[in-house]
Amino acid sequence: MTDHGSLTHGGVGAEYITTRKGMWGVKDGADTTGFSGQEEVVTIAQPAHRPYGGWFDDVVDILGELLTADGLRPDEVIEKVTTQYGELVIFIKREHLVKVARYLRDDQDLRFELCLGVSAVHYPQDNGRELHGFYTFFSITHNRSLSIEVTAPENDPHIPSIVGVYPGNDWPEREAWDLMGIVFDGHPGLTRSVMPDDWVGHPQRKDYPLGGIPVEYKGAVIPPPDTRREYN
């Protein structure tokens, strides 16, 4: 039997989140996609161990030094560091996001001049950390990129806005709120960017109802998606 608490994914230990079966996760045998036998294990990378390799160690050390200089313990800000697929991803606590973003932009040894936006992800089974904000930063000076990931619970979906540090994040944050429901505190105008202003809910969350109406086709009635597919 597989120990889901300690999976290996691509040669890297991974934290088990859930197992999704079929194309849409349907559990009652009504999957109409033809992929009912498909099974996918959803994981999040576990912490990497030093040496991370290349310039990764230098960047993490610099962040640690800057946090210490500001009177903070690095292990109270940085939750974990992962290097899955050769990419540096630093998980930090959400309340320190703006500070870390300023470090990345302003420190002469970091110089990540660009933030390429934020991607919002919903993991309903990641209890207390259901909503993830994933930011990718690029350094023109050093020709390198890294990502910062922060999380928030569904019952408190707040992450600080970094528009004051990276103004180009204005629209990506609006879209992440519109479609996924993450509230970016301090954003100058957090309004809908895709859905109508009076829309209720956030349609890219995994638990958002698909809706639809029955469709008649050559004498048969195809039920609406809500009754035959779901995303959980």
Side-chain angles (χ1 to χ4, degrees):
M1 178 177 291
T2 301
D3 177 8
H4 282 159
S6 181
L7 293 173
T8 298
H9 186 62
V12 179
E15 176 189 353
Y16 174 78
I17 299 298
T18 188
T19 298
R20 184 164 52 231
K21 296 183 178 181
M23 179 65 77
W24 303 95
V26 174
K27 304 177 181 68
D28 60 5
D31 192 334
T32 62
T33 66
F35 290 91
S36 57
Q38 178 173 293
E39 181 173 311
E40 178 186 5
V41 177
V42 180
T43 64
I44 297 177
Q46 287 185 339
H49 301 288
R50 286 180 177 269
Y52 304 129
W55 54 269
F56 292 0
D57 294 88
D58 294 336
V59 167
V60 176
D61 288 342
I62 292 168
L63 285 177
E65 292 170 3
L66 293 169
L67 290 167
T68 300
D70 273 345
L72 296 168
R73 283 176 44 191
D75 61 353
E76 292 179 338
V77 177
I78 300 174
E79 295 181 335
K80 68 177 179 178
V81 176
T82 73
T83 57
Q84 194 171 21
Y85 306 120
E87 298 178 358
L88 176 63
V89 182
I90 304 173
F91 287 69
I92 65 170
K93 294 183 178 179
R94 56 179 171 168
E95 59 265 30
H96 301 292
L97 176 60
V98 175
K99 182 182 293 291
V100 170
R102 287 201 182 98
Y103 294 158
L104 293 176
R105 185 193 65 181
D106 296 342
D107 185 80
Q108 63 181 1
D109 296 319
L110 297 176
R111 287 289 186 234
F112 287 88
E113 298 95 343
L114 297 177
C115 178
L116 305 181
V118 56
S119 298
V121 188
H122 184 208
Y123 294 102
Q125 294 83 11
D126 194 9
N127 295 329
R129 301 163 57 89
E130 293 87 358
L131 296 170
H132 290 230
F134 188 87
Y135 302 77
T136 296
F137 299 85
F138 184 76
S139 170
I140 299 173
T141 300
H142 301 294
N143 190 26
R144 58 178 60 157
S145 66
L146 63 76
S147 297
I148 298 293
E149 190 157 346
V150 297
T151 67
E154 286 181 328
N155 60 6
D156 182 25
H158 292 263
I159 292 176
S161 170
I162 63 169
V163 170
V165 184
Y166 292 95
N169 244 45
D170 186 346
W171 277 77
E173 288 184 7
R174 285 181 59 192
E175 183 179 47
W177 173 76
D178 188 4
L179 299 179
M180 201 68 77
I182 295 177
V183 180
F184 292 92
D185 295 327
H187 188 285
L190 198 60
T191 56
R192 298 271 187 189
S193 64
V194 179
M195 308 305 294
D197 290 340
D198 59 353
W199 193 267
V200 178
H202 306 281
Q204 282 193 344
R205 286 200 185 185
K206 296 290 196 307
D207 54 3
Y208 188 83
L210 293 176
I213 60 175
V215 177
E216 292 188 9
Y217 179 72
K218 290 187 177 180
V221 176
I222 301 175
D226 264 359
T227 65
R228 57 192 170 97
R229 296 180 184 172
E230 53 94 0
Y231 285 112
N232 295 326

